[in-house]
């Protein structure tokens, strides 16, 4: 009953098979391996962009921070929500790798609105040399609260950014989960919607540790290569990153895994709904934020369930106090695990 994070799940067998196969013999280092050629072609095909620049790094933080640094001068600011991963969970990495650029937070929760973004951007560049200059807009898809931007919402946000001549970055740590939820193509959710660069996540969806950075403007390629090397994120034995991504792309494993994760979350959410749980956000992909009594949380933890208490404390005197949980499903969770988790509930 492990619902703490999709980071905690096992790697997909297809990914592991490609890693084992890549471990035979010798391969050129630093991304010059033959596998990387196949990965580059595969990602360009997936995004319908034959000229895109494609690079691999090992972590989502590196992908986001290095990508943003290519679009942000030290005196500029990145616009993002106040719960964005780059704001809450990356230890100032975007600020560090950009040489000191700040983050300007767009209020309103996990999903930006065009109106809020417009107002936040307009509020900068009003103090001349004394204030930060406008920089890129960063959008998270799936959001940190499990919401998914529709294509119309993405178009509306990028239109605001483009009206100020600002580039757009998409943090796609759960890119595949969002795409499956929308039933669209990778191109429709990125460059066709006005996105300039995407962090195409693999780690949360069945890889050991690999993320692709895809620049739809290849003129940024050399700068990224330099920043990646300078930032100590260029792997010597790069073939093991390439192998993971090759397995991820093979036979649409990335989509199969995301569908499984989303379907697991749908099963879990329906079970919680049937038992009277309250939802902080409507589940749309593979993350659930639900509220139910402390006594059930305690019962679940005693039974060995793993998940985060999002609001409140597990210990307390009132067994009926409602505590919020974050529950994340990965591709590997079985129906039996979900049903076992739900078996510890009673009608609320």
């Amino acid at each position: 009953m492990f619902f703490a994070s999709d980071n905690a799940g096992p790697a997909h067998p297809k990914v592991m098979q490609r890693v084992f196969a890549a471990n035979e013999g010798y391969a050129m280092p630093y991304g010059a391996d033959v596998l990387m050629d196949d990965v580059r072609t595969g990602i360009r095909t997936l995004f319908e962009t034959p000229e895109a620049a494609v690079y691999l790094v090992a972590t989502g933080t590196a992908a986001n921070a290095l990508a943003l640094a290519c679009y942000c001068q030290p005196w500029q600011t990145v616009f993002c929500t106040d719960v964005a991963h780059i704001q809450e969970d990356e230890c100032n990495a975007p600020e560090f790798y950009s040489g000191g650029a700040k983050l300007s937070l767009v209020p309103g929760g996990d999903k930006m609105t065009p109106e809020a973004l417009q107002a936040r951007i307009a509020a900068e560049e009003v103090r001349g040399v004394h204030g930060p200059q406008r920089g890129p807009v960063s959008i998270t898809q799936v959001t940190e609260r499990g919401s998914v931007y529709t294509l119309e919402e993405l178009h509306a946000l990028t239109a605001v950014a483009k009206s100020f001549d600002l580039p757009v970055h998409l943090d796609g740590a759960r890119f595949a989960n969002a795409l499956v939820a929308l039933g669209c193509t990778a191109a429709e959710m990125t460059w066709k919607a006005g996105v300039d660069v995407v962090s195409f996540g693999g780690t949360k969806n069945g890889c050991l540790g690999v993320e692709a950075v895809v620049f739809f403007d290849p003129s940024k390629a050399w700068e990224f290569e330099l920043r990646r090397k300078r930032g100590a994120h260029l792997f010597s034995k790069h073939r093991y990153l390439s192998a993971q991504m090759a397995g991820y792309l093979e036979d649409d494993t990335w989509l199969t895994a995301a569908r499984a994760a989303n379907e697991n979350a749908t099963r879990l959410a329906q079970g919680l709904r049937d038992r009277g749980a309250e939802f902080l956000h409507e589940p749309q992909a593979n993350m659930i934020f639900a509220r139910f009594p402390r006594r059930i949380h305690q019962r679940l933890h005693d039974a060995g369930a793993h998940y985060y208490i999002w609001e409140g404390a597990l210990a307390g005197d009132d067994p009926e106090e409602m505590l919020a949980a974050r529950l994340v499903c990965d591709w590997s969770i079985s129906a039996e695990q979900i049903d076992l988790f739900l078996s510890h509930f009673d009608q609320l």
Side-chain angles (χ1 to χ4, degrees), residues 58-255:
T59 72
T61 297
N64 288 337
L66 292 170
L68 283 168
C70 290
Y71 284 99
C72 197
Q73 295 294 332
W75 50 84
Q76 292 180 322
T77 187
V78 178
F79 298 95
C80 64
T81 71
D82 52 11
V83 298
H85 200 272
I86 60 172
Q87 156 67 9
E88 289 199 333
D89 298 291
E90 295 188 353
C91 196
N92 294 10
E95 295 94 324
F96 176 80
Y97 281 101
S98 64
K102 66 176 290 184
L103 303 183
S104 289
L105 307 183
V106 181
D110 63 323
K111 289 180 79 172
M112 281 189 278
T113 65
E115 296 76 16
L117 179 61
Q118 172 89 26
R120 193 67 189 86
I121 295 173
E124 297 297 356
E125 288 194 14
V126 296
R127 299 186 299 281
V129 73
H130 303 288
Q133 305 302 292
R134 297 164 183 157
V137 174
S138 182
I139 303 170
T140 310
Q141 179 80 314
V142 176
T143 76
E144 290 76 13
R145 298 298 182 266
S147 303
V148 177
Y149 288 97
T150 66
L151 295 183
E152 291 76 16
E153 288 171 327
L154 289 174
H155 278 277
L157 291 172
T158 61
V160 171
K162 301 307 179 185
S163 72
F164 289 93
D165 198 26
L166 302 180
V168 178
H169 162 257
L170 188 74
D171 177 352
R174 295 183 174 94
F175 184 96
N177 303 95
L179 186 139
V180 166
L182 292 178
C184 65
T185 68
E188 288 171 336
M189 203 168 76
T190 53
W191 63 270
K192 288 185 177 181
V195 171
D196 296 284
V197 59
V198 60
S199 302
F200 175 62
T203 306
K204 296 181 187 295
N205 194 39
C207 292
L208 290 166
V210 68
E211 317 284 313
V213 179
V214 184
F215 289 94
F216 303 113
D217 175 6
S219 69
K220 293 293 182 181
W222 181 235
E223 180 179 350
F224 183 84
E225 290 192 34
L226 295 172
R227 288 186 178 276
R228 181 177 59 165
K229 177 61 178 178
R230 182 176 180 268
H233 283 284
L234 176 59
F235 268 48
S236 173
K237 293 192 175 181
H238 189 283
R239 61 169 144 169
Y240 299 107
L241 295 182
S242 303
Q244 290 180 66
M245 188 56 69
Y248 191 55
L249 299 176
E250 184 181 358
D251 298 329
D252 286 339
T253 297
W254 65 289
L255 290 174

Side-chain angles (χ1 to χ4, degrees), residues 272 275 292 296 299-300 341-348:
L272 292 169
R275 288 158 177 81
F292 43 91
I296 297 179
R299 189 185 307 161
L300 284 163
F341 183 90
L342 293 170
S343 73
H344 293 283
F345 279 72
D346 48 24
Q347 294 297 324
L348 305 185

